[in-house]
């Protein structure tokens, strides 16, 4: 492992600190603000408005009025026009967004050229905008003759209504993009509650919508808050019809309970403990170093493959390769293009990961590299890339989401059947990767209880690809046709021509 010292960022990016409610950029009625901390330096970057209950109530009311009193939900052409404006405005601010992600998220610059920014900015908004013209909003059913009189029938798709979108801090632009675009493309109005740890990445959307699009007042609102009671209004207020949440399984369960009273629809994209599955016919020299993918954004990704499962006959080789790979990963300054592993988002998250490392040691896991804070990085929320060998399926590190730069390595017996059993030994089912001969890899993929899979380096990712999980990894799908329908109600109508 090599480390690079962290310099204070010098790239300006014109941050937005105000709320966006009912077509207006403004401060919170409480006057409160929250410090925005640079996780690489622990310095205060600036502040963001911290919303109170009155602000959230105003945002929900604005979204409700916009849905009930405008033609936003039915005017397909206008929605498409507005979303393409939004797409173009995001392209114009791409470099500002990149610098903002590095500064407030601690995302390594290299990660902004993949899922943090470049991948979603291409089609996260554009694809749903175009799909408005392609989606089957109506379909005819065969004519009926019950009661002796002939009549026609059709099925109509309509917007759900007001959607509360709650987004996390790890990939803020990517996740906000994929929520906002599909919610608005399907004719809903919305309130976005971005994470208070990375507020500027959400608040920027309000300014762009206000200044660069024709989206009507109230259709889109942005309200970050540090008060969980304020955020929970999105799950309890009867004026909100749906909650779309990405985050931890524990919070997802809470949202499910809170939403039940008003029968809100929920889209929950939750935690994961995905497996990097190596078949015994894989090219070990080529695939074993691929475990490095678990270190993208310092392991702060729900779909990252943090359980490495290998045939017992190559276990020692896998441990050796993983140890050497993690030891060689550049750690440190996220503004340095050579850095692959940056800081965790906060002191709280760093301490959580360090606590899991101690739990892993206590339960019998063997640290082969890492296991603490990196040498030479005395400030910033860094944890060294860490490999745990000798991890049993009963260990907490095997079963629980750590959300940090830590992988476990576990051997399996019994061929592909043993691999499948071990991979499915999890309460989660979000993603995974299978490495081996194509036919066997596809056969194994068909038996893994998970919502997405990458085989032999191929990628499922895209705005047209539904994303979500089985089991404790959530409910519903975001993106693609299935994600589009997630935000729509279904109405069946019988009618006569006369």
């Amino acid at each position: 492992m090599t480390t690079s010292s962290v310099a204070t960022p010098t790239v300006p990016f014109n941050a937005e600190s105000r709320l966006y409610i009912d077509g207006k950029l403004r401060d919170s009625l409480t006057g409160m603000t929250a410090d925005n901390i640079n996780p690489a330096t622990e310095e205060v970057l600036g502040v963001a408005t911290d919303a109170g209950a009155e602000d959230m109530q105003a945002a929900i009311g604005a979204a409700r009025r916009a849905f009930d009193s405008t033609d936003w939900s039915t005017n397909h052409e206008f929605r498409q026009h507005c979303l393409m404006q939004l797409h173009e405005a995001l392209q114009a601010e791409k470099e500002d967004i990149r610098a903002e992600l590095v500064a407030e998220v601690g995302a390594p610059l290299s990660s902004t050229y993949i899922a943090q920014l470049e991948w979603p900015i291409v089609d996260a908004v554009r694809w749903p905008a175009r799909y408005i013209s392609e989606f089957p909003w109506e379909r005819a059913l065969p004519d009926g003759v019950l009661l002796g009189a002939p009549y026609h029938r059709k099925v109509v798709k309509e917007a759900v209504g007001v959607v509360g979108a709650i987004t996390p801090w790890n990939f803020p632009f990517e996740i906000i993009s994929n929520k906002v675009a599909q919610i608005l493309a399907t004719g809903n109005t919305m309130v976005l509650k971005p994470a208070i740890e990375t507020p500027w990445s959400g608040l920027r959307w309000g300014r762009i919508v206000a200044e660069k699009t024709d989206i009507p007042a109230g259709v889109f609102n942005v309200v970050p808050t540090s008060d969980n009671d304020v955020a929970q209004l999105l799950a309890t207020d009867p004026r909100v019809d749906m909650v779309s949440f990405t985050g931890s399984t524990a919070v997802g369960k809470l949202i499910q309970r809170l939403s039940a009273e008003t029968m809100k629809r929920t889209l929950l994209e939750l935690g994961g403990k995905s497996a990097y599955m190596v078949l015994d016919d894989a090219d070990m020299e080529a695939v074993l170093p691929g475990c490095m993918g678990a270190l993208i954004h310092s392991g702060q990704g729900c779909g990252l493959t943090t359980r490495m499962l290998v045939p017992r006959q190559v276990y020692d080789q896998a441990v050796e390769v993983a140890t050497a790979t993690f030891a060689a990963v550049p750690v440190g300054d996220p503004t340095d293009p050579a850095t692959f592993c940056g800081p965790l988002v906060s002191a709280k998250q760093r301490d959580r990961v360090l606590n899991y490392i101690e739990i892993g040691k206590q339960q019998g896991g063997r640290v082969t590299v890492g296991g603490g804070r990196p040498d030479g990085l005395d400030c910033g929320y860094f944890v060294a890339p860490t490999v745990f060998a000798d991890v049993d399926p009963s260990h907490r590190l095997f079963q629980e989401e750590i959300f940090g730069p830590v992988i476990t390595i576990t051997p399996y017996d019994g061929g592909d059947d043993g691999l499948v059993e071990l991979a499915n030994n999890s309460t989660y089912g979000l993603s995974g990767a299978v490495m081996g001969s194509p036919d066997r890899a596809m056969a194994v993929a068909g038996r893994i209880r998970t919502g997405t899979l990458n085989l032999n380096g191929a990628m499922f990712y895209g705005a047209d690809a539904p994303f979500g999980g089985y089991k404790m990894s959530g409910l519903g799908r975001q993106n693609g046709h299935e994600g589009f329908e997630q935000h729509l109600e279904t109405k069946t109508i019988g009618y006569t021509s006369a």
Side-chain angles (χ1 to χ4, degrees):
M1 178 183 67
T2 60
T3 60
S4 60
S5 59
V6 181
T8 301
T10 58
V11 179
F13 45 81
N14 192 24
E16 178 55 62
S17 63
R18 296 167 293 177
L19 310 176
Y20 183 61
I21 298 174
D22 204 10
K24 296 181 177 63
L25 293 163
R26 65 166 176 82
D27 293 331
S28 169
L29 296 175
T30 67
M32 294 178 62
T33 61
D35 287 342
N36 194 359
I37 307 297
N38 182 327
T41 66
E42 302 184 44
E43 296 175 353
V44 177
L45 291 164
V47 299
T49 300
D50 191 353
E54 285 187 72
D55 300 308
M56 184 64 77
Q57 295 282 6
I60 293 171
R64 186 75 260 168
R65 286 192 302 274
F67 185 81
D68 293 340
S69 63
T70 74
D71 69 346
W72 178 258
S73 67
T74 57
N75 193 333
H76 296 181
E77 293 78 13
F78 180 61
R79 293 205 306 272
Q80 194 168 56
H81 158 76
C82 290
L83 284 170
M84 289 309 297
Q85 287 180 317
L86 179 58
H87 170 76
E88 294 301 329
L90 291 169
Q91 312 310 305
E93 297 198 12
K94 182 168 72 171
E95 295 312 314
D96 281 356
I97 295 169
R98 190 189 314 280
E100 189 169 66
L101 289 168
V102 174
E104 74 166 352
V105 183
L109 181 62
S110 59
S111 73
T112 69
Y113 288 93
I114 50 174
Q116 279 286 7
L117 178 60
E118 291 286 350
W119 292 353
I121 205 169
V122 171
D123 64 354
V125 176
R126 183 174 60 183
W127 188 88
R130 291 179 172 176
Y131 202 57
I132 294 171
S133 299
E134 302 172 18
F135 183 78
W137 295 96
E138 292 188 10
R139 81 174 191 274
L141 297 177
D143 288 349
V145 293
L146 296 176
L147 302 178
Y151 49 84
H152 310 298
R153 298 181 301 159
K154 66 178 179 179
V155 177
V156 179
K157 297 292 184 177
E158 299 177 341
V160 168
V162 176
V163 180
I166 303 173
T167 57
W169 42 256
N170 58 331
F171 285 79
F173 179 83
E174 195 272 348
I175 295 169
I176 289 172
S177 299
N178 285 309
K179 287 193 186 297
V180 169
Q182 290 225 342
I183 290 168
L184 297 185
T186 44
N188 300 285
T189 60
M190 68 177 297
V191 178
L192 170 65
K193 203 294 288 183
I196 200 66
E197 292 87 351
T198 55
W200 291 344
S201 294
L203 292 169
R204 176 179 293 273
W205 286 76
R207 186 176 69 223
I208 290 176
V209 167
E211 298 177 354
K212 303 292 180 64
T213 79
D214 297 323
I215 294 174
V219 167
F220 177 74
N221 306 271
V222 188
V223 190
T225 178
S226 61
D227 188 332
N228 288 337
D229 290 338
V230 173
Q232 288 171 17
L233 290 172
L234 291 172
T236 58
D237 195 305
R239 295 172 295 177
V240 177
D241 300 291
M242 175 178 172
V243 177
S244 176
F245 170 76
T246 297
S248 72
T249 296
V251 176
K253 289 178 179 180
L254 175 62
I255 288 172
Q256 187 83 325
R257 292 195 298 270
L258 294 174
S259 299
E261 186 65 28
T262 52
M263 286 295 175
K264 295 188 199 319
R265 180 178 299 181
T266 55
L267 192 166
L268 305 175
E269 194 272 283
L270 308 177
K273 193 68 180 177
S274 302
Y276 188 78
M277 295 166 269
V278 179
L279 305 185
D280 59 20
D281 65 356
D283 180 347
M284 298 302 167
E285 291 186 5
V287 305
L288 292 179
C291 64
M292 178 177 160
L295 295 179
I296 293 173
H297 193 24
S298 300
Q300 298 172 114
C302 54
L304 298 178
T305 50
T306 56
R307 290 185 298 151
M308 191 176 184
L309 311 181
V310 299
R312 187 170 298 277
Q313 62 267 30
V314 300
Y315 176 66
D316 290 341
Q317 180 186 359
V319 172
E320 180 181 351
V321 170
T323 300
T325 300
F326 272 46
V329 169
V331 178
D333 186 356
T335 68
D336 185 342
T339 296
F340 188 81
C341 190
L344 300 179
V345 76
S346 65
K348 178 182 177 181
Q349 185 63 20
R350 177 200 61 201
D351 294 345
R352 179 180 188 271
V353 173
L354 291 175
N355 182 57
Y356 262 111
I357 289 172
E358 292 308 309
I359 291 170
K361 294 175 182 177
Q362 293 166 12
Q363 291 196 313
R366 173 168 55 95
V367 175
T368 66
V369 67
R373 301 183 66 173
D375 294 335
L377 292 173
D378 298 327
C379 69
Y381 308 130
F382 294 94
V383 173
T386 301
V387 173
F388 266 94
D390 304 341
V391 176
D392 186 84
S394 65
H395 290 178
R396 289 180 62 185
L397 260 62
F398 187 93
Q399 294 291 341
E400 298 179 18
E401 185 175 49
I402 300 169
F403 230 60
V406 180
I407 66 162
T408 64
I409 307 178
T410 304
Y412 66 87
D413 300 298
D416 294 356
D417 290 344
L419 171 60
V420 169
E421 181 180 1
L422 191 59
N424 286 335
N425 184 356
S426 173
T427 59
Y428 294 108
L430 186 58
S431 194
V434 186
M435 315 301 288
S437 59
D439 289 346
R440 281 180 61 189
M442 185 63 73
V444 167
R447 300 168 65 190
I448 303 300
R449 300 287 295 168
T450 189
T452 58
L453 282 165
N454 295 316
L455 274 57
N456 292 318
M459 299 290 292
F460 68 81
Y461 184 88
D464 59 349
F467 180 69
Y470 292 17
K471 300 184 282 187
M472 288 296 179
S473 288
L475 299 171
R477 293 296 182 270
Q478 188 165 283
N479 290 351
H481 176 87
E482 290 77 7
F484 216 76
E485 285 214 322
Q486 198 79 37
H487 301 90
L488 296 170
E489 291 281 15
T490 300
K491 180 181 289 181
T492 307
I493 302 173
Y495 62 101
T496 63
S497 299

